[in-house]
Amino acid sequence: MRPVLRVLRAVILAGPTVLAFASGGYFDHARLIALIVTWIVVAAVVVVSDAPLPRSREGIAALAALAGYVGWIALSTTWAPLKGSAADDLERALLYLGAFVAVAAAFRPRSAARAVEPSLAAGAFVVTGYGVVGRLLPGIAPQHATGSSAGRLDQPLTYWNATGALAALGLVLCTRIAGDNDRNGTMRSLAAAAAVPLAAGVYLSFSRGALAALAAGVIVLLVAAPSWIQLRAAAICLEVGALGAAACAAFGGVRDLTGSAHAREVQGAVVFVVLLALMALAVGLMTWAQRTERAGTTRLGRLPLPRWAPIAATALVVAIVVVPVVVAKGTSTATPSFGETSQRLSSVGSNRYEYWKVALKVAADHPIAGVGTSGFAVEWLRRRDISDAAHDAHSLELETLAELGLVGFALLCALLVAVALAARRVHRYDPGLAAGMIAGLALWTLHAAIDWDWEMPALTLVAVVLAGTLVARVDAPANVP
């Protein structure tokens, strides 16, 4: 049975990356195939697993909350105004439920759980690297960007903010791997090298939400893994990554897609060589850092963080979301300049504030059950003050309030709390395993609160795998290998 379980784990871990190359799994055909494959994997895992369902209180609560959330979505399709879109929402939710069940059952052994971070990080590297290479070497790796991207990096997911978020998630996971001295030295060095194209992907997406989520993820990581080794690795990954982003910003043909096709190809080739050099530099720096760690000639041990550091980190993460909203409300909610210019990164203007206002009004008018899944699109057309097309509220929590009411919102909150409690419990007895997963989940949670990540399976499945792994490890004793 063990070889079969290894194959099933490989299928699960490869899933988000495969979906990324099918427009992120956003459209019907790819999503339906993913749904069928996922539930086949669930059936197989149930057969080969000794205990297919969670047994801990946190795991049972998380599964019950997610199943209840999916069930409420299914029920809401009966009063949803758009039956086709409602069916899409239900498919998506069933996909996440199946993935969660499969992961929670398949990744109980610590050895299996340890493979999650490098596998997901490698997937993010492949996806982001594909997009970045297509940007830099269009003659060699041609891509067809969507018209609405206006030069922002959106391939292969077809949505630039999701591309930026996935790159940020990969960057945080790579930073954790580079700072985990229980990992193989070669893996740590390669993780640092991968930080270069991942950071370039975050920058070229020109996604302010991805940058904010990245900051939150790094903060949480340093609190969850408070060691000098992790801090040193974070400094290496973020600094070489920043240099990579700066190289992209220095050339208009790469940054803005300006100039002739020949000029863009020449500039792209130059930046490609620079990124390769920076990746080599990252490997060298991590190799040096590991050598000094083994020799004991550098600082080791825990960072001298105060006991209230987790509270301060939580406050900082909340502030990353709240402060821009408050500032924008006090100044202007105008849409920033559309497209790929770096000026976007210094603006807090967005149409999201209008989406959120409408979502709150809808929730106030339909407080218990909401207007039905996918109903925000209809309410937006009825209530909007700006002529912007929007299908989603660009916030998982607010869209849930509007479409599924307080019942759906309570189930979503229960799911998030249950996963958080599972993460805390695993972190108490195995912080080395849990730290990167907690940071990745914090990043996704923040980004999902300000964008439509839930509708992009290639991105959200990464979070589902992280959450399911933590729930799986709650069920396993600390000494299970």
Side-chain angles (χ1 to χ4, degrees):
M1 291 298 183
R2 286 187 177 181
V4 175
L5 201 52
R6 290 193 187 100
V7 172
L8 294 174
R9 288 170 184 152
V11 171
I12 292 169
L13 293 176
T17 303
V18 173
L19 267 182
F21 287 94
S23 299
Y26 178 80
F27 297 104
D28 296 350
H29 183 67
R31 186 179 61 243
L32 181 59
I33 292 175
L35 177 62
I36 294 171
V37 171
T38 296
W39 281 98
I40 291 174
V41 170
V42 170
V45 169
V46 167
V47 171
V48 301
S49 176
D50 296 331
L53 295 177
R55 293 168 293 183
S56 65
R57 288 174 296 178
E58 296 89 346
I60 293 171
L63 179 57
L66 180 54
Y69 189 70
V70 175
W72 189 245
I73 290 174
L75 186 61
S76 79
T77 60
T78 60
W79 65 82
L82 301 173
K83 300 303 181 184
S85 296
D88 292 342
D89 283 355
L90 180 57
E91 277 187 9
R92 205 173 288 116
L94 287 169
L95 170 62
Y96 299 151
L97 176 61
F100 183 83
V101 172
V103 174
F107 287 86
R108 287 199 179 98
R110 191 177 191 275
S111 57
R114 285 282 283 175
V116 169
E117 280 180 352
S119 298
L120 295 180
F125 169 77
V126 169
V127 173
T128 306
Y130 171 83
V132 171
V133 170
R135 177 87 160 215
L136 301 180
L137 305 174
I140 298 176
Q143 297 174 11
H144 301 285
T146 59
S148 58
S149 67
R152 290 167 285 190
L153 186 69
D154 70 336
Q155 294 299 310
L157 295 177
T158 69
Y159 181 45
W160 50 93
N161 287 333
T163 298
L166 182 61
L169 234 173
L171 181 52
V172 166
L173 293 178
C174 283
T175 301
R176 172 57 194 147
I177 294 167
D180 186 352
N181 63 340
D182 289 331
R183 296 278 188 188
N184 175 274
T186 301
M187 180 183 292
R188 292 179 63 189
S189 296
L190 291 176
V196 176
L198 288 167
V202 175
Y203 171 75
L204 290 173
S205 73
F206 293 94
S207 172
R208 295 160 296 170
L211 283 172
L214 174 61
V218 172
I219 291 169
V220 172
L221 175 60
L222 292 177
V223 172
S227 69
W228 285 104
I229 291 176
Q230 183 62 76
L231 180 62
R232 193 175 300 112
I236 291 172
C237 290
L238 295 178
E239 287 173 6
V240 295
L243 290 174
C248 294
F251 293 87
V254 174
R255 182 189 67 244
D256 305 326
L257 298 181
T258 56
S260 66
H262 176 71
R264 292 199 302 271
E265 289 183 359
V266 170
Q267 293 179 22
V270 171
V271 173
F272 182 75
V273 172
V274 171
L275 294 187
L276 288 179
L278 288 172
M279 293 174 71
L281 174 62
V283 170
L285 290 173
M286 275 307 306
T287 302
W288 165 80
Q290 292 175 69
R291 188 179 299 118
T292 59
E293 291 164 11
R294 290 191 297 269
T297 56
T298 188
R299 285 189 174 184
L300 302 172
R302 288 178 61 87
L303 292 173
L305 298 180
R307 296 182 61 181
W308 44 265
I311 298 175
T314 302
L316 279 173
V317 171
V318 172
I320 287 172
V321 176
V322 173
V323 171
V325 175
V326 173
V327 170
K329 185 177 180 180
T331 55
S332 172
T333 58
T335 305
S337 53
F338 181 74
E340 73 287 349
T341 65
S342 300
Q343 294 174 352
R344 284 181 58 84
L345 303 180
S346 61
S347 168
V348 294
S350 174
N351 284 344
R352 279 172 174 74
Y353 310 126
E354 298 299 320
Y355 308 152
W356 297 344
K357 288 176 185 177
V358 169
L360 289 172
K361 290 177 181 177
V362 173
D365 291 342
H366 304 271
I368 304 302
V371 295
T373 187
S374 77
F376 175 82
V378 174
E379 294 296 326
W380 169 252
L381 292 177
R382 290 174 179 169
R383 302 170 186 249
R384 64 182 181 179
D385 294 324
I386 58 175
S387 59
D388 183 33
H391 186 271
D392 302 289
H394 288 66
S395 169
L396 176 59
E397 293 79 7
L398 295 182
E399 185 166 300
T400 296
L401 265 176
E403 296 184 347
L404 304 177
L406 289 173
V407 175
F409 184 72
L411 289 167
L412 176 62
C413 289
L415 170 62
L416 296 176
V417 169
V419 171
L421 291 174
R424 185 180 69 171
R425 185 169 166 187
V426 176
H427 187 263
R428 283 177 175 173
Y429 73 78
D430 197 350
L433 174 72
M437 298 184 189
I438 292 172
L441 283 172
L443 187 156
W444 178 87
T445 302
L446 186 149
H447 199 267
I450 58 176
D451 218 316
W452 45 274
D453 295 4
W454 187 261
E455 284 74 21
M456 186 61 71
L459 176 57
T460 292
L461 280 173
V462 175
V464 171
V465 171
L466 294 175
T469 303
L470 290 170
V471 166
R473 287 301 295 167
V474 171
D475 283 337
N479 59 351
V480 171

